[in-house]
Amino acid sequence: MTEQREGFRGWAARRGRALSLLRFTSLRLRLVVVFALVALTAAVSASGIAYWLNREAVLTRAQDAVLRDFQQEMQYRAGALPARPSQDQLQHTAGQMAGSSQRFSVLLVGQDTNGRTVYGNSGGLSGFSLQDVPQSLRTAVNKRQPLSSANKSPYHLYWQRVVRHGTPYLVAGTKVVGDGPTGYMLKSLEPEAKDLNSLAWSLGVATGLALIGAALLAQAAATTVLKPVHRLGIAARRLGEGKLDTRLRVSGTDELADLSRTFNNAAEALEKRVADMAARDEASRRFVADMSHELRTPLTAITAVTEVLEEELDSESGGIDPMVEPAVRLVVSETRRLNDLVENLMEVTRFDAGTARLVLDDVDIADQITACIDTRAWLDAVELDAERGIHARLDPRRLDVILANLVGNALKHGGSPVRVSVREAAEEIVIQVRDHGPGIPEEVLPHVFDRFYKASASRPRSEGSGLGLSIALNNAHIHGGGITAANSPEGGAVFTLRLPRDASALAAERAEKAESGKDSGKSDGKGAGPKEAAR
């Protein structure tokens, strides 16, 4: 049973490959079929015309020779008979006439001296008889024609082609002038029919050879036409895969060569445009990275001053003028926000430059979520549904960033309580963060992970940077996971985080790519881009 199933699968696979090849070469097949149909039509038409012309020529030549010989025999031998011949005389004369060069059968019909109709047959009693002559031919032969200047003879020679038992025959008859006997002739056309059949077979073979030749020529022509098209398809696929240096070899001056030149020009323009865009994007990333680094120095001093001001605000001595206190509190909060924005921008530049790395550790998911919530004093507003003992090898810092952004976003824009649940799948950990707010508008759902995107219709303006969810998604991606956003049927928004149980392989791959990128950056004299901040 297993062997039968494997055999069926093999047959199905071969059939699928054959159908795929048929679909792939449909244009080739159409070209071959069109060439073959044109060749078949031309060959059949030419063969049909040639057969018809040769048939008429062969039959007419044989027929004319037989009729001429028969007419001469009737004139010289049957015309020499008496007006009232006996049966023996008719029989003897019919035998003599049949012995001519054309070898036809003869039947003579006359009246003896007693007025009886007598017959003379060259083939004896079982030979050619009057019943073998069509009635229409007998009537025409015995009909007397009026004499005129155009018609010198009252009786004419008539002939007709008949088929007996599958064999064609020529039947002719005429009457001797002066009430002489009437003569009929029967000549087999079987040799001519065999010649015509041989001709038909020859023309059929020629038609088949012409069809095969046309198919071969069509295959060669299709290959000539489709090979450049196939190369163009391969080049287009390579171009779509990002290999912008792909070019076609151009030869000739036909339309396919023009198409190849057009493709090369388009590929060259696309490569130049992509290179320009990449250069501008790299310059933009470097500007953001440099700006973030440059901002950290003055921000450090500003942060130190704001910390002193904040201590003065919290002290009982009242060192801050009550009239200035609101402004001081605004400076402190905006300084914190600016610090967060700079840190987020630096994180974004690391993701864009591909230098973000994973520092893996064995993590208990429930403990990690509890620590994240406890650190930010969200215990009263968050419900945790997670069993201890669910372990994964992840980057704890990046997981903390993901959870902080998702839970913080739910608390800011949704409604309490926020519920965080954890479940295990086959090879991944699934964490859901659900709030009890109004949910996310359908038009906003596709953009919730976009940078600096803030919905103003259903969600109030955030004090954040607009980068939190984007950074959370990037952190999930470098683990090999992802985040999706949706609305719960019971109300509220649901963010679903999926992370692999072990990101070691992906971390090693990213580290290898980062090292190769760093080496290539050193070799071409370019900087390696922004570096990961020390932890």
Side-chain angles (χ1 to χ4, degrees), residues 20-37 214-231:
S20 176
L21 182 62
L22 185 64
R23 288 192 297 270
F24 180 72
T25 58
S26 59
L27 181 58
R28 182 188 302 273
L29 289 179
R30 287 199 295 270
L31 286 173
V32 172
V33 169
V34 169
F35 269 75
L37 287 178
L216 294 177
L217 289 175
Q219 175 70 14
T223 300
T224 303
V225 173
L226 294 180
K227 187 176 290 184
V229 176
H230 180 61
R231 288 199 297 264

Side-chain angles (χ1 to χ4, degrees), residues 57 81 90 117 132 139 167 173 180 238 317 336 355 373 396 399 464 515:
L81 290 170
L90 291 177
T117 301
D132 296 326
T139 301
T167 303
R238 288 172 57 87
S317 61
R336 287 202 189 97
T355 58
I373 296 173
L399 178 58
E515 289 297 329

Side-chain angles (χ1 to χ4, degrees), residues 54 91 109 168 172 176 203 206 208 237 345 379 404 415 424 437 450 470 501:
N54 281 275
Q91 193 75 25
V109 181
V176 177
L203 292 175
R237 283 194 294 272
L345 285 174
L379 289 175
E424 297 180 271
D450 294 351
S470 175
R501 285 183 173 274

Side-chain angles (χ1 to χ4, degrees), residues 64-73 100-102 104:
D64 290 347
V66 171
L67 292 178
R68 185 169 53 252
D69 195 10
F70 173 67
Q71 192 170 20
Q72 290 175 355
E73 292 293 327
S100 68
S101 60
Q102 295 298 325
F104 44 71

Side-chain angles (χ1 to χ4, degrees), residues 39-40 42-44 46-47 50 198-214:
L40 181 63
V44 169
S47 298
S198 299
L199 176 63
W201 274 106
S202 300
L203 292 175
V205 171
T207 300
L209 293 176
L211 184 61
I212 295 173

Side-chain angles (χ1 to χ4, degrees), residues 386-435:
E387 296 182 0
R388 295 188 180 277
I390 300 177
H391 290 272
R393 187 163 182 77
L394 304 169
D395 187 328
R397 187 188 72 84
R398 296 191 181 277
L399 178 58
D400 182 77
V401 171
I402 297 173
L403 294 172
N405 278 294
L406 293 182
V407 176
N409 183 76
L411 290 172
K412 289 179 183 178
H413 304 295
S416 298
V418 173
R419 183 178 181 83
V420 180
S421 59
V422 181
R423 60 183 177 87
E424 297 180 271
E427 295 294 333
E428 61 183 10
I429 305 297
V430 180
I431 303 174
Q432 282 191 336
V433 179
R434 178 194 168 193
D435 62 45

